[in-house]
Amino acid sequence: MADYSKEEIKRIEEKWRTIWKERDVYKVQNNSPKPKYYVLDMFPYPSGAGLHVGHPLGYIASDIVSRYKRLKGFNVLHPMGFDAFGLPAEQYAIDHGIHPAVSTAQNIENFKDQLSKIGFSYDWSREVQTCDPSYYKWTQWIFLQIFDSWYNRRKEKAERIADLIALFEKEGNTNHPFPNVKFLVPGTKKETFSGDDWKSFDEHTRQEILMQYRLAYLAYTDVNWCEALGTVLANDEVINGVSYRGGFPVVKKQMRQWSLRITEYAERLLKGLDEIDFSDSMKEIQRNWIGKSVGAKVTFEIQSEGGQSSKLVVFTTRPDTIFGVDFMVLAPEHELVRSITSTEQKEDIEKYLRYVESRSEIDRMAEVKKITGAATGAFAINPFNGRKVPVWISEYVLAGYGTGAIMGVPCGDERDHKFAKHFNLPVTNIIGEYYNGSEANPTKEATLQNSDFLNGMVMHDAIDVVISKLEEKGIGKRQVNYKMRDAGWSRQRYWGEPFPVVYRGDIPYAMDEKELPLVLPESNNFRSSGSGEGPLANLKEWVFFKDGERRDTNTMPTHAGAAWYFLRYMDPHNDKAFAEKKALDYWGQVDVYVGGSEHAVAHLLYSRLWVKILHDLGYLNFDEPFRKLINQGKITGDSRFVYRVRGTNKFVSAGLKDGYDTDPLHVDVNIVTGLELDTQAFKNWKPDFATAEFILEDGKYICGASIEKMSKSYFNVVNPDVIIENYGADTLRMYEMFLGPLELSKPWNTHGIDGVYKFLRKFWHLIHDHQGNIHVSDDEPSREELKVLHKTIKKIEYDIEHFSFNTSVSEFMICCNELSSIKCNKRSIIEPLVIALSPFAPHVAEELWEKLGHGESILSATFPAYDEAYLKEDSFEYPISINGKVRAKMNFALDMPKEDIEKLVLASDAVAKWTEGKTPKKVIVVPGRIVNLVM
RNA sequence: GCGGAUGUGGCGUAAUUGGUAGCCGUGCCAGACUUAGGAUCUGGUGCCGAAAGGCGUGGGGGUUCGAGUCCCUUCAUCCGCACCA
């Protein structure tokens, strides 16, 4: 009766899912004598489309790890939740009139339903949803802690604003200059103030100054404003300067918004990468994003027509090339542009500024290589040799990076060189033969020439010499720059966390902790108000809730909820704190974090930032959230096409399509076997195709194929429910792992799933007889059987520890084949293997475990230990290679001395045949590996 | 352009980390059983060759007794960044 059939699988899986749920077996306690282990999945955004086979890939891997670690005696935290705020739900509400809260709740139910069928060992009692007020209360609370902090550069850590005020009262800001260099004390032209000054400032001035230091601060920043849609767009909704939806033009618009001062943490975010186990590419992407460059700020005197002197500060990473400066270039937006322009050049400059103004983001991006610019008529004086060089403006210099001004060194910088050639500026060669006259050479290896006191010095050595000289002369200093900008934290959206602040005048004050959460008000109007403010601005009574006070009409980005959710899992129901200190200390860092590489920058950086801030403020005893990160590859779709002859309802097979004028159409992959279309199913697929006719080749309709992302609109989505229906969750789990290395992207291909299914059935039959009864032997196992067992356990353990799940599945198959062929059904062999299999195929493992007579769930079993003693061979068959080619094989004891092996090999007839009696020049004996003769 | 990764049979992949390349699975070929089925079992299967043998890890070069693995170079594909001074 009980074969491992479709019906039996369904029965087993349903049975165990029910039992697991009833007995609450995955519930985890925050205290245990066992060591802790924290396995985390990136929690999903519950989209309406549901799961496809690509989604569970990482979840299956992390589930295997957590089940394995549990069997290994760890107290494992393995939670799941939902990143439930976000744009699609809001867009869906606008399009379909369904409130985001409603559609999100539905989608979450749907996700949980699908997830539950795959047999994950999540502790659902710890589920978090970022849109739940009891959760976002703490998102808001953490935001307020960040608002109440500043970065003490001297101590390289965040401190409370109260500490800063105490400092100001005592000594002003002389030791802690404004992080933003352009800010001046209100009402003055000064960058510093004294303790007495501070005491004389009014409340407004004080708050304005404090705002310059806060780690969460308000400032005027650009938003992507789309006039046609009447809304503000997120950066990823803007593709090449036009809106993702509709392709409408997008312009920059200044608005007063929240930002997080992540730039203060640039160095620590960079250094932290050395301590954590992320892939090289992931670390590189983050380093790249932070974009550290070390160089110098150099001050040049400007001589302009009026005669009044001004100073121009440039940033350069190559101060060693200072004698190669042939011109200066300012960003068109640079503040000096208008004041230094000569009367003669005024027209040119104004014309150029108008041109720049007229250029949209798209133009600028599309024509990066186009060289434009205008001369100001002013000159800059090289501080070292007094040389006068012209000052130009050009859009290739960005206002937002460095000082918005550069020194042009055409012989060493490609862009400067092109600029010089285009405008016929002279090129001073300071690198001798390294410069060929037609192309710049950015080398650091050249020996400097025409460079005054640097002559004869190699460039990379000269860099420090110049910086010292600059500092000595007081005309420059060492400077580190970062590409990373502060993180914009306001979204003009409804479906997110409201900012827990109250404005009095234009100053925001933190809400009292006791008033949190500031609940997102009910609304049915999700369109942004015309002014560019978010939808909350429509709710006048909520915004202006009290005389003289007003709320923020923006909400936080989804990154906010996701920046700390891994902490909430540790103590998810706490209403006194975001998590109890004891729980935070107990669980600590996430040991393994599994998720997609698309979150390389935003999510991972913000999480790292929040953890660092919470660490600095004393809430956490660790300052990196994730000890190890695994990026599962994407599973792509394998699309199929049919070719419709244009203007007809005839479809031509792929091999014959060249003879026709055709349009390719995506066809549902579920009605194609390999490349062959099920023509009847195709006719039934859509009414339009009911009357389809086919032009066949060899009696078959062959489809075209292409690898694309899995998407409903490509009809290449494979739903895990369908696989589970046909093969069961255990086969799905093992097959997804078997598909290839976890971190590699690969197309989904259902071919081959039979192999995994056959394995499970074979394994099942190891201990079932033909009638389906359990048939195990309690006899002592043979040495051969023990060897198979221990070898397998050893490899499986190694593979899981190294996240190499594809090879562990292979290992199970090999083991099963070997046991089948020696007809082994010994209990002492099978039982450990069932335990080892349980992380991969938990349902069938539980069933077998029970059938083997165990009352307790397999979850409380212990992962078997292997014994090297069974793996040791006493002899080894040595390949004998002669000049690199294996010519013979000989068996020797493993502990035989090298000399004896050498003697025996040389004396053997099989070897003599190849050596032709000559003595080899050299004999290499590697114990347990190979014997190599060099003739 | 810069940075990161990948490249092995018809296909997905493996290789004790420098030691017999191709494990496992699919696919294909042959056979067995059979109530002919997209079931099950057994054997074969990198390429050339009748065989002996030769050739083979994108291409070229190098180090080594020995290279898929290390070094140099080159090509192809994917991903990230992209006027960042």
Side-chain angles (χ1 to χ4, degrees):
Chain A
M1 159 68 196
D3 189 17
Y4 193 65
S5 63
K6 201 167 154 176
E7 293 71 32
E8 180 69 0
I9 293 167
K10 207 175 270 180
R11 188 191 66 80
I12 292 169
E13 295 192 346
E14 269 165 23
K15 167 181 163 188
W16 286 103
R17 274 204 297 275
T18 311
I19 293 177
W20 291 332
K21 202 169 176 181
E22 279 170 358
R23 297 188 194 158
D24 220 356
V25 290
Y26 299 123
K27 202 167 166 83
V28 183
Q29 301 301 328
N30 276 359
N31 46 60
S32 165
K34 296 175 185 173
K36 72 96 189 182
Y37 200 83
Y38 189 175
V39 188
L40 181 68
D41 290 301
M42 285 186 187
F43 66 165
Y45 175 79
S47 88
L51 289 178
H52 63 63
V53 287
H55 292 112
L57 184 73
Y59 304 157
I60 293 169
S62 64
D63 197 60
I64 289 171
V65 173
S66 31
R67 286 174 181 274
Y68 165 79
K69 284 286 176 184
R70 214 169 283 147
L71 294 171
K72 274 286 196 182
F74 289 85
N75 188 31
V76 177
L77 178 56
H78 185 43
M80 181 48 86
F82 296 93
D83 187 12
F85 273 134
L87 215 57
E90 191 164 327
Q91 196 57 49
Y92 190 80
I94 293 172
D95 296 345
H96 298 94
I98 298 182
H99 196 277
V102 175
S103 61
T104 302
Q106 273 170 5
N107 292 346
I108 288 176
E109 272 322 296
N110 191 18
F111 259 69
K112 286 168 85 167
D113 193 48
Q114 281 192 293
L115 287 174
S116 72
K117 290 182 191 153
I118 309 178
F120 294 125
S121 59
Y122 296 124
D123 178 357
W124 281 108
S125 75
R126 293 176 184 257
E127 177 187 354
V128 301
Q129 298 181 5
T130 53
C131 65
D132 185 333
S134 69
Y135 179 88
Y136 70 71
K137 168 180 178 176
W138 298 107
T139 308
Q140 292 172 333
W141 181 86
I142 296 172
F143 175 84
L144 288 182
Q145 308 314 304
I146 300 174
F147 176 67
D148 189 41
S149 314
W150 64 293
Y151 194 78
N152 185 330
R153 290 185 181 177
R154 309 208 140 193
K155 297 186 186 165
E156 296 185 343
K157 64 181 281 241
E159 291 183 340
R160 291 294 179 176
I161 288 293
D163 301 329
L164 182 64
I165 293 172
L167 265 167
F168 284 169
E169 283 172 355
K170 209 169 106 200
E171 55 176 48
N173 76 337
T174 38
N175 288 320
H176 297 281
F178 291 116
N180 177 350
V181 285
K182 286 181 185 145
F183 187 79
L184 300 174
V185 178
T188 74
K189 287 192 172 169
K190 285 165 36 187
E191 290 178 15
T192 56
F193 56 84
S194 68
D196 287 338
D197 290 342
W198 174 261
K199 285 170 200 150
S200 73
F201 293 150
D202 61 13
E203 167 69 7
H204 190 270
T205 305
R206 287 181 183 184
Q207 289 299 336
E208 216 175 317
I209 288 170
L210 290 176
M211 191 60 90
Q212 301 305 311
Y213 289 85
R214 293 182 189 275
L215 288 180
Y217 65 98
L218 274 177
Y220 282 93
T221 47
D222 287 335
V223 295
N224 303 304
W225 173 251
C226 181
E227 190 62 48
L229 295 172
T231 185
V232 174
L233 299 175
N235 280 333
D236 50 339
E237 293 176 280
V238 184
I239 313 284
N240 291 329
V242 297
S243 65
Y244 177 70
R245 285 167 164 262
F248 301 112
V250 174
V251 295
K252 296 283 181 204
K253 183 173 176 177
Q254 290 257 313
M255 285 184 65
R256 194 161 180 245
Q257 303 190 87
W258 289 101
S259 290
L260 299 192
R261 214 177 287 280
I262 191 171
T263 47
E264 290 291 313
Y265 277 87
E267 195 58 38
R268 278 174 63 186
L269 288 168
L270 210 49
K271 279 204 185 114
L273 290 175
D274 298 337
E275 296 154 26
I276 51 183
D277 188 0
F278 287 19
S279 71
D280 288 347
S281 72
M282 198 56 53
K283 287 186 179 182
E284 263 325 291
I285 291 172
Q286 292 210 3
R287 286 197 189 103
N288 221 311
W289 180 263
I290 296 168
K292 178 179 182 174
S293 52
V294 181
K297 275 201 300 198
V298 187
T299 309
F300 287 71
E301 291 287 338
I302 298 284
Q303 272 183 8
S304 54
E305 204 177 52
Q308 81 271 41
S309 77
S310 45
K311 286 180 157 72
L312 173 65
V313 182
V314 300
F315 172 72
T316 176
T317 54
R318 297 298 302 276
D320 53 311
T321 63
I322 187 107
F323 291 100
V325 174
D326 289 312
F327 52 93
M328 310 294 282
V329 191
L330 309 186
E333 299 87 350
H334 196 281
E335 54 192 7
L336 282 178
V337 171
R338 283 202 161 85
S339 65
I340 64 171
T341 300
S342 67
T343 338
E344 195 188 334
Q345 288 304 112
K346 196 165 167 65
E347 200 178 315
D348 267 14
I349 290 287
E350 291 300 332
K351 205 172 127 197
Y352 186 68
L353 291 178
R354 277 197 303 276
Y355 159 77
V356 171
E357 185 103 339
S358 74
R359 300 249 293 162
S360 65
E361 283 287 303
I362 330 166
D363 300 336
R364 253 182 112 142
M365 278 188 234
E367 300 169 28
V368 155
K369 294 284 178 276
K370 195 170 157 189
I371 298 157
T372 63
T376 60
F379 292 89
I381 310 298
N382 188 316
F384 283 111
N385 60 4
R387 191 172 153 218
K388 255 172 89 171
V389 296
V391 179
W392 287 66
I393 66 170
S394 173
E395 61 179 343
Y396 86 88
V397 176
L398 306 174
Y401 184 76
T403 60
I406 61 154
M407 53 188 219
V409 183
C411 76
D413 184 281
E414 193 197 330
R415 295 153 307 172
D416 295 350
H417 192 265
K418 284 191 175 139
F419 192 79
K421 288 287 170 195
H422 189 261
F423 289 109
N424 270 320
L425 298 167
V427 177
T428 304
N429 182 12
I430 53 166
I431 53 176
E433 62 201 17
Y434 281 84
Y435 176 58
N436 63 10
S438 61
E439 255 183 340
N441 186 342
T443 181
K444 287 186 181 176
E445 305 304 320
T447 303
L448 285 157
Q449 306 178 6
N450 297 328
S451 291
D452 202 292
F453 65 94
L454 298 175
N455 280 338
M457 210 176 282
V458 177
M459 298 177 100
H460 51 243
D461 299 330
I463 294 176
D464 273 342
V465 175
V466 176
I467 294 176
S468 311
K469 200 87 170 186
L470 286 167
E471 289 179 337
E472 194 187 305
K473 295 180 80 171
I475 49 172
K477 60 177 189 182
R478 190 175 298 276
Q479 171 83 22
V480 177
N481 260 350
Y482 301 93
K483 268 195 268 185
M484 183 168 63
R485 305 277 76 133
D486 280 342
W489 213 248
S490 292
R491 296 290 183 270
Q492 291 69 39
R493 299 286 173 186
Y494 171 76
W495 192 231
E497 301 88 348
F499 285 92
V501 295
V502 168
Y503 291 84
R504 291 198 270 281
D506 61 349
I507 300 294
Y509 290 88
M511 282 174 64
D512 193 309
E513 208 178 303
K514 289 189 281 290
E515 294 172 51
L516 297 182
L518 171 59
V519 178
L520 183 63
E522 263 314 308
S523 174
N524 290 313
N525 185 355
F526 309 117
R527 295 188 185 273
S528 61
S529 73
S531 59
E533 284 190 87
L536 290 176
N538 298 319
L539 306 170
K540 299 277 184 264
E541 286 189 10
W542 181 81
V543 177
F544 304 101
F545 67 109
K546 197 171 161 188
D547 263 358
E549 297 196 350
R550 129 185 100 81
R551 299 196 201 279
D552 199 296
T553 57
N554 294 320
T555 54
M556 297 189 210
T558 47
H559 303 304
W564 72 284
Y565 74 107
F566 44 90
L567 301 174
R568 186 63 176 172
Y569 284 140
M570 298 175 184
D571 189 13
H573 307 296
N574 196 328
D575 60 357
K576 303 276 181 296
F578 69 96
E580 161 189 60
K581 184 86 172 81
K582 222 174 88 190
L584 292 164
D585 288 349
Y586 175 70
W587 291 111
Q589 282 173 297
V590 173
D591 291 283
V592 183
Y593 194 23
V594 181
S597 55
E598 66 272 21
H599 299 106
V601 282
H603 165 60
L604 288 171
L605 276 177
Y606 299 140
S607 302
R608 294 180 60 213
L609 173 70
W610 281 40
V611 163
K612 282 181 193 301
I613 296 174
L614 289 171
H615 166 81
D616 290 353
L617 297 179
Y619 296 104
L620 304 176
N621 61 11
F622 50 92
D623 92 328
E624 280 291 342
F626 315 117
R627 195 192 295 277
K628 182 181 178 67
L629 174 71
I630 299 281
N631 295 117
Q632 87 275 22
K634 280 189 199 49
I635 291 192
T636 44
D638 193 359
S639 306
R640 292 289 179 269
F641 298 90
V642 290
Y643 301 93
R644 182 166 60 192
V645 180
R646 197 163 291 166
T648 70
N649 208 14
K650 275 189 183 165
F651 295 84
V652 59
S653 186
L656 306 171
K657 75 173 173 16
D658 290 348
Y660 301 83
D661 192 13
T662 61
D663 296 308
L665 299 176
H666 277 94
V667 60
D668 189 343
V669 291
N670 296 302
I671 58 172
V672 181
T673 311
L675 290 175
E676 188 185 345
L677 180 71
D678 180 339
T679 51
Q680 193 52 49
F682 182 72
K683 287 182 174 187
N684 298 338
W685 182 40
K686 285 183 173 180
D688 290 358
F689 302 143
T691 59
E693 292 171 53
F694 302 96
I695 302 167
L696 307 176
E697 50 183 315
D698 303 331
K700 294 172 180 172
Y701 188 95
I702 303 299
C703 297
S706 157
I707 304 294
E708 301 172 296
K709 78 173 222 246
M710 227 178 239
S711 157
K712 271 191 170 169
S713 57
Y714 297 154
F715 302 106
N716 61 0
V717 173
V718 181
N719 188 311
D721 298 0
V722 175
I723 306 286
I724 291 170
E725 181 64 27
N726 287 321
Y727 295 95
D730 289 333
T731 300
L732 172 76
R733 289 168 64 107
M734 291 197 91
Y735 184 59
E736 290 221 5
M737 292 299 102
F738 183 67
L739 219 45
L742 182 61
E743 313 206 43
L744 235 109
S745 285
K746 53 232 156 195
W748 177 262
N749 178 350
T750 312
H751 289 305
I753 196 167
D754 279 332
V756 171
Y757 171 67
K758 279 186 214 164
F759 153 73
L760 282 173
R761 193 175 50 202
K762 228 182 205 178
F763 193 91
W764 172 273
H765 281 297
L766 283 176
I767 50 169
H768 283 85
D769 61 18
H770 296 300
Q771 283 75 46
N773 300 314
I774 280 284
H775 180 70
V776 282
S777 149
D778 285 320
D779 294 347
E780 281 297 306
S782 68
R783 189 180 162 83
E784 189 192 7
E785 289 165 338
L786 284 166
K787 195 179 148 188
V788 172
L789 170 68
H790 288 271
K791 183 186 72 185
T792 304
I793 299 299
K794 182 182 178 179
K795 287 198 168 164
I796 302 285
E797 186 170 317
Y798 180 89
D799 287 343
I800 299 178
E801 300 274 2
H802 291 82
F803 299 88
S804 175
F805 304 107
N806 53 331
T807 52
S808 37
V809 176
S810 294
E811 224 35 71
F812 275 116
M813 291 177 175
I814 295 166
C815 167
C816 186
N817 288 345
E818 284 174 353
L819 293 180
S820 299
S821 70
I822 58 177
K823 298 202 169 18
C824 168
N825 66 340
K826 307 259 172 73
R827 177 182 293 276
S828 53
I829 300 295
I830 303 295
E831 282 193 351
L833 288 173
V834 173
I835 299 173
L837 183 67
S838 69
F840 296 84
H843 309 85
V844 68
E846 280 278 24
E847 180 72 9
L848 292 175
W849 192 245
E850 189 187 59
K851 284 188 167 177
L852 285 163
H854 296 273
E856 286 274 293
S857 158
I858 198 165
L859 296 165
S860 50
T862 302
F863 197 86
Y866 61 88
D867 187 344
E868 288 281 355
Y870 293 104
L871 303 178
K872 280 204 187 107
E873 300 277 353
D874 37 12
S875 72
F876 178 74
E877 190 179 39
Y878 283 85
I880 315 295
S881 100
I882 295 155
N883 284 342
K885 293 257 177 269
V886 175
R887 300 298 187 185
K889 284 183 182 176
M890 291 175 77
N891 213 357
F892 301 114
L894 260 177
D895 54 3
M896 184 181 281
K898 284 184 182 185
E899 298 75 35
D900 295 359
I901 294 178
E902 191 175 329
K903 261 182 234 161
L904 286 165
V905 166
L906 290 177
S908 88
D909 293 343
V911 172
K913 182 181 143 201
W914 290 95
T915 58
E916 293 164 342
K918 290 178 203 148
T919 318
K921 280 191 203 131
K922 210 168 171 185
V923 180
I924 295 121
V925 180
V926 186
R929 292 284 159 84
I930 198 162
V931 179
N932 196 3
L933 310 185
V934 185
M935 300 308 294

